[in-house]
Amino acid sequence: MLKKQGIFIGGLLITVLAGCSSFESRKKATDNFDYLDASLAQPISTAGIGEVALDTTYNVPALGKGALPTYLGEQVDVRSPAQVLTVLEGTRTDDTAENTTVIFTAKDRGVAAKDDVWSLLLNFFEQHNVSAKNLDKLKGELVSDTFVFEQEFGSFFNTTDYRSEEQYKFTLKEPSSSRTASLAVELLSFKESVDGDVNTKPLLDAEKKRYEIGMINRFLVFALAENQRKNASLQSQDNRVPLDLGFDDNGLPAWVTKKNFDIVWAKLPLALAELNFEYESSNKILGAYVMGFKQPSNDYWREKGLRRFELTKGSYTFQLGQSKQGETVITIFADDKQPLSVQQISEMYLSIVDLMQKHMRVENN
């Protein structure tokens, strides 16, 4: 009970601290702005000491073309600059483009990056329940309907409900080859409200850029999640290991598969554990697993739905290697270093073959 109370109080403290910052203050610097009343100091006289080298490290840069001369003190937006998060492999920004632009590069030759981005973009719209107001694949243009984003700032009695309605134009091109595709995002319309009050101030260029970067980041994070989901599915399929009965290069009875060594190495102990083998040791460099075995009851096989086989209690070495044909071969040896017989290998094969083709969770080490 005390532990639960501690968690509740800790969470409460975090919530209170989070609520100290209001929505209106998120753009403003803290403390006072007396520096606006400051005057320039008199330059230091260098008379009589000759030429002095000047260090420009701390020179204040000139204001950007989008900055307003009236932006002083509390009017300055102190938030860190928005940056494109190129979290997806094969993406980079195009800083020379007029609008916020990301270039995608397909990993495999012969794959059209543009087609993949189109598919991801449409799925992204579907996730946000937003339709395409205008879609022209020949021109590579997609105009969205309205994206609605809602957020609550603060907590308890000091909450602010923020809502934005945003419409964008996405332009997808092939700048060089089919392996690359550039996606540009342009904010077409924008409306925001705070606690139901609509903000009528015009959007500055810097703020417009910020929202465009925010939208492309949402899309990139979505694309990353989609790729991770597909890779997990492919990995699950790759974990299947079809086994055949055969012989190694020395003529010993063995299990043979065309799957590569690493996949078989990761999958084999999981399947053996289902057959009541217990891990004892392993050496990947030597390609050897040592597993202990104790004959289980008939109920064990029945509950697992597996074919029973007879094997003497003891330790067994499962030796993984590669044949001259490039196949992965599993040879099994008893405590006395003698290989198991063809009959024993065959009986165990009937029990393990289905397990090796199941989707078991394989950890990549």
Side-chain angles (χ1 to χ4, degrees):
M1 184 66 184
L2 290 174
K3 187 175 182 181
K4 291 183 179 179
Q5 287 178 343
I7 295 171
F8 173 76
I9 293 171
L12 183 61
L13 178 60
I14 292 171
T15 307
V16 169
L17 291 175
C20 292
S21 178
S22 68
F23 174 80
E24 292 77 8
S25 66
R26 76 196 196 284
K27 298 181 182 181
K28 298 177 182 179
T30 57
D31 300 327
N32 56 50
F33 297 91
D34 291 340
Y35 63 83
L36 294 176
D37 300 324
S39 58
L40 292 174
Q42 293 298 319
I44 299 173
S45 175
T46 59
I49 60 174
E51 186 176 351
V52 177
L54 298 177
D55 187 349
T56 61
T57 302
Y58 300 104
N59 282 5
V60 178
L63 289 175
K65 62 180 181 179
L68 297 178
T70 55
Y71 260 41
L72 296 172
E74 293 185 352
Q75 300 301 316
V76 177
D77 187 343
V78 298
R79 291 176 296 175
S80 59
Q83 297 183 13
V84 176
L85 304 174
T86 51
V87 292
L88 189 66
E89 184 180 358
T91 57
R92 57 186 172 87
T93 58
D94 183 359
D95 298 326
T96 63
E98 181 179 355
N99 297 112
T100 303
T101 303
V102 173
I103 296 177
F104 298 79
T105 303
K107 290 190 295 184
D108 302 323
R109 295 186 180 277
V111 175
K114 190 175 179 181
D115 293 340
D116 285 346
V117 178
W118 270 127
S119 178
L120 285 168
L121 199 54
L122 294 175
N123 288 338
F124 175 70
F125 272 48
E126 184 179 353
Q127 187 196 56
H128 286 276
N129 198 27
V130 173
S131 59
K133 195 170 183 179
N134 182 41
L135 172 60
D136 189 332
K137 277 197 171 184
L138 292 177
K139 289 185 178 181
E141 294 180 355
L142 189 161
V143 176
S144 76
D145 211 332
T146 304
F147 285 86
V148 177
F149 300 108
E150 295 178 325
Q151 190 174 359
E152 185 179 273
F153 290 83
S155 60
F156 295 106
F157 303 107
N158 184 29
T159 60
T160 300
D161 294 319
Y162 175 80
R163 174 188 172 95
S164 68
E165 299 177 16
E166 308 165 19
Q167 184 188 23
Y168 291 88
K169 177 182 178 181
F170 298 82
T171 304
L172 187 60
K173 302 290 185 183
E174 287 180 352
S176 54
S177 69
S178 62
R179 284 193 66 196
T180 61
S182 67
L183 179 67
V185 180
E186 180 185 1
L187 180 63
L188 298 180
S189 66
F190 176 83
K191 183 172 74 173
E192 68 175 353
S193 61
V194 180
D195 288 335
D197 296 330
V198 177
N199 183 7
T200 58
K201 293 181 181 179
L203 206 60
L204 298 175
D205 289 344
E207 293 175 323
K208 177 177 180 290
K209 185 79 170 178
R210 194 177 193 91
Y211 284 105
E212 290 170 347
I213 291 175
M215 176 52 68
I216 200 70
N217 282 341
R218 283 190 178 97
F219 173 67
L220 288 172
V221 170
F222 168 80
L224 175 65
E226 284 291 284
N227 278 13
Q228 288 175 338
R229 181 184 61 79
K230 290 179 181 178
N231 289 339
S233 177
L234 289 174
Q235 185 187 32
S236 177
Q237 293 178 11
D238 288 343
N239 286 339
R240 292 179 177 179
V241 180
L243 277 184
D244 291 315
L245 280 171
F247 298 91
D248 67 6
D249 291 338
N250 296 317
L252 297 177
W255 301 331
V256 181
T257 178
K258 293 182 179 180
K259 287 289 185 177
N260 69 50
F261 177 92
D262 286 332
I263 293 176
V264 181
W265 177 263
K267 185 67 175 285
L268 181 61
L270 302 178
L272 290 174
E274 291 293 302
L275 297 179
N276 208 43
F277 281 90
E278 188 172 318
Y279 175 86
E280 292 183 357
S281 65
S282 64
N283 189 322
K284 191 173 183 180
I285 296 175
L286 299 178
Y289 274 111
V290 178
M291 310 287 288
F293 181 78
K294 181 180 179 182
Q295 190 69 44
S297 66
N298 290 331
D299 291 338
Y300 178 88
W301 300 110
R302 193 179 307 111
E303 290 169 3
K304 292 282 186 179
L306 297 171
R307 185 186 294 262
R308 176 189 174 89
F309 62 86
E310 294 290 339
L311 200 61
T312 305
K313 178 182 177 181
S315 296
Y316 293 84
T317 300
F318 292 79
Q319 187 71 54
L320 280 69
Q322 192 173 44
S323 69
K324 294 177 181 178
Q325 291 75 32
E327 297 173 317
T328 302
V329 179
I330 306 170
T331 314
I332 310 171
F333 297 87
D335 270 341
D336 56 4
K337 308 302 181 186
Q338 293 299 310
L340 298 191
S341 66
V342 173
Q343 181 180 351
Q344 288 174 310
I345 292 286
S346 300
E347 288 180 354
M348 291 176 63
Y349 167 79
L350 294 175
S351 299
I352 199 173
V353 62
D354 290 335
L355 293 172
M356 292 293 281
Q357 295 189 76
K358 282 185 177 179
H359 296 318
M360 294 180 176
R361 180 174 176 80
V362 174
E363 299 291 344
N364 291 325
N365 297 321

